[in-house]
């Protein structure tokens, strides 16, 4: 510093601050590895991994607790660590202290271990370790921790430490599923039917669940006007939901939004005269599959879905396509939901849609109103059928619901009479 004409004290302050910062980063990263290893003591291995994640030069040696004895080889002027000579006879005599078997050498024996479990080779000592390079495409092979938000992932996420590895067979299977879904949307349904049949029963697809749920979520968000692709995505969702060998609990947050989108979104196709009504009805039938499996675990699934559909139905600024989806969704959730949500407002909805049928000059609006009236009649008819059930009649047939049921019957007209069971108590009230 004196030769360069620089203030030595200022340089020391800056260098000390930089060294302190680097040491703090190094210790914090090493502490992360220590905590992930469920340990209370920091090791040299943690420091080495922290250096590797930061991209700094790793240390090539560590201090030993005991002094090392070196020996000089005169002929080659080489120093080497002297190993202690071990007497095998002494070890065999003291086998109890060194935990050796009673008979040495051991006779050859046979053992049993798993080569594969659900198509995946377990990482045990008996199986060889596979060093195949894995694909880094998120659609096929790798899900790196912290990829979506690197700021929250920390040093371990930035270095790509946590990875979800897929076998080559599962990568090929995933590619075939994606190809079949897209190909089915183009009209080639031969391969898609085989894929759907496999997804509904195959027990070895649990590792594909994050990729399949992400694929469904992305396809629905990107293809809101592609009716064929949305239908294929919902068929894929149904196959996943009915597969008893798959655990869908961790991926419900990705599967429920696409289902509700295909039910209540205002536009699901390029032309309003296309049959998007079937897609909404098919998607509505997926809701009972979800809460029948996880309704006991998550008590708020049914109330939240009911609240979403009710808001879509009663909002005045929503189109009739959205209201149709809300009606079929509430009807699919059972007669008790129809009784509590739809029945009080069903007469008002009948009058509204009938008025549109009489006053609208647009053919499209009359078609939409006709579908909504049909959905209301089907929901009310299903409710009347449930009244004849001896199991549900006690919960459904209450005096306070007879008056709104009569009002709905008068508003719907004779179209609801075929749904009424002839020998039910509700028929007598009506």
């Amino acid at each position: 510093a004196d030769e360069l004409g620089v203030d030595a004290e200022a340089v020391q302050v800056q260098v000390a601050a930089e060294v302190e910062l680097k040491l703090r980063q190094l210790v914090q990263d090493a502490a992360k590895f220590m905590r992930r290893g469920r340990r209370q003591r920091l090791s040299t291995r943690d420091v080495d991994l922290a250096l590797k994640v930061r991209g700094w030069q790793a240390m090539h040696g560590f201090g030993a607790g005991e002094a090392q004895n070196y020996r000089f080889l005169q002929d080659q002027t080489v120093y080497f660590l002297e190993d202690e000579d071990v007497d095998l006879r002494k070890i065999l005599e003291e086998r109890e202290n060194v935990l050796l078997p009673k008979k040495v050498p051991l006779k050859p024996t046979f053992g049993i271990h798993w080569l594969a479990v659900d198509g995946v080779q377990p990482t045990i000592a008996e199986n060889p370790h596979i060093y195949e390079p894995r694909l880094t495409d998120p659609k096929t092979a790798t899900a790196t921790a912290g990829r979506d938000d690197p700021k929250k992932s920390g040093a371990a996420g930035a270095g790509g430490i946590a990875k979800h590895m897929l076998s080559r067979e599962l990568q090929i299977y995933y590619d075939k599923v994606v190809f079949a879904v897209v190909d089915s949307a183009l009209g080639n349904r031969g391969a898609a039917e085989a894929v759907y049949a496999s997804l509904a029963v195959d027990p070895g697809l649990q590792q594909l669940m994050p990729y399949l749920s992400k694929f469904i979520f992305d396809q629905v968000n990107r293809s809101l006007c592609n009716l064929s692709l949305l239908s294929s995505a919902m068929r894929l969702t149904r196959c996943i939901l009915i597969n008893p060998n798959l655990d869908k609990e961790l991926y419900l947050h990705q599967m429920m939004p696409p289902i509700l989108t295909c039910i209540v979104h205002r536009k699901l196709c390029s032309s309003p005269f296309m049959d998007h009504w079937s897609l909404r009805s098919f998607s509505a039938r997926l809701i009972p599959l979800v809460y029948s499996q996880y309704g006991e675990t998550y008590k708020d699934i049914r109330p939240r879905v009911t609240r979403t559909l009710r808001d879509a139905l009663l909002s005045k600024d929503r189109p009739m396509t959205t209201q149709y989806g809300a009606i079929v969704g509430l009807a699919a959730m059972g007669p008790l939901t129809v009784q509590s949500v739809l029945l009080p407002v069903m007469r008002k909805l009948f009058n509204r849609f009938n008025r549109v049928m009489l006053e609208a000059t647009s053919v499209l609006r009359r078609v939409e109103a006709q579908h909504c009236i049909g959905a209301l009649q089907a929901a009310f008819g299903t409710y009347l059928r449930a009244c004849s059930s001896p199991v549900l009649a006690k919960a459904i047939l209450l005096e306070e619901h007879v008056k709104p049921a009569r009002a709905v019957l008068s508003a719907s007209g004779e179209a609801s009479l075929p749904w009424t069971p002839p020998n039910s108590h509700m028929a007598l009230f009506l």
Side-chain angles (χ1 to χ4, degrees), residues 319-348:
M320 284 185 285
T321 54
T322 298
Q323 294 176 357
Y324 172 85
I327 294 170
V328 296
L330 291 170
M333 298 181 70
L336 292 178
T337 304
V338 174
Q339 176 180 270
S340 60
V341 180
L342 275 180
L343 193 60
V345 297
M346 194 173 286
R347 180 184 179 182
K348 180 180 178 181

Side-chain angles (χ1 to χ4, degrees), residues 199-218:
L199 282 169
V201 296
D202 201 318
L205 305 178
Q206 184 60 44
Q207 288 190 331
L208 284 180
M209 272 303 303
Y211 308 106
L212 292 175
S213 60
K214 185 68 164 56
F215 171 73
I216 295 171
F217 185 85
D218 293 339

Side-chain angles (χ1 to χ4, degrees), residues 196-380:
Y196 293 146
S198 174
L199 282 169
V201 296
D202 201 318
L205 305 178
Q206 184 60 44
Q207 288 190 331
L208 284 180
M209 272 303 303
Y211 308 106
L212 292 175
S213 60
K214 185 68 164 56
F215 171 73
I216 295 171
F217 185 85
D218 293 339
Q219 289 301 316
V220 172
N221 286 340
R222 297 172 184 173
S223 310
L224 283 177
C225 291
N226 192 335
L227 182 61
S228 301
L229 194 55
L230 291 176
S231 301
S232 300
M234 288 298 100
R235 288 200 62 185
L236 177 62
T237 305
R238 180 183 180 276
C239 294
I240 294 175
L241 290 175
I242 65 176
N243 191 334
N245 304 300
L246 296 179
D247 185 11
K248 287 81 65 173
E249 182 176 357
L250 299 178
Y251 312 101
L252 292 178
H253 68 285
Q254 285 186 325
M255 300 179 68
M256 286 302 296
I259 295 175
L260 294 176
T261 299
C262 291
I263 295 175
V264 298
H265 197 269
R266 62 175 61 238
K267 187 177 180 181
L268 297 177
C269 50
S270 56
S271 173
F273 292 99
M274 298 177 69
D275 186 20
H276 59 90
W277 315 102
S278 299
L279 174 61
R280 297 179 191 274
S281 300
F282 181 84
S283 303
R285 291 193 293 271
L286 300 181
I287 298 179
L289 295 178
V290 175
Y291 69 72
S292 63
Q293 299 180 41
Y294 302 102
E296 295 295 330
T297 306
Y298 301 99
K299 301 292 186 181
D300 60 337
I301 288 183
R302 189 183 185 107
R304 290 175 62 183
V305 173
T306 303
R307 192 181 311 115
T308 301
L309 297 177
R310 183 187 59 191
D311 294 342
L313 176 63
L314 301 181
S315 180
K316 296 182 179 180
D317 58 343
R318 298 296 180 91
M320 284 185 285
T321 54
T322 298
Q323 294 176 357
Y324 172 85
I327 294 170
V328 296
L330 291 170
M333 298 181 70
L336 292 178
T337 304
V338 174
Q339 176 180 270
S340 60
V341 180
L342 275 180
L343 193 60
V345 297
M346 194 173 286
R347 180 184 179 182
K348 180 180 178 181
L349 294 174
F350 268 120
N351 295 333
R352 180 196 302 176
F353 296 135
N354 285 326
R355 192 182 314 115
V356 174
M357 287 287 293
L358 295 175
E359 299 177 358
T361 58
S362 172
V363 176
L364 177 61
R365 286 185 57 82
R366 289 202 297 268
V367 170
E368 292 177 349
Q370 184 178 5
H371 278 89
C372 291
I373 292 174
L376 284 174
Q377 291 173 350
F380 185 59

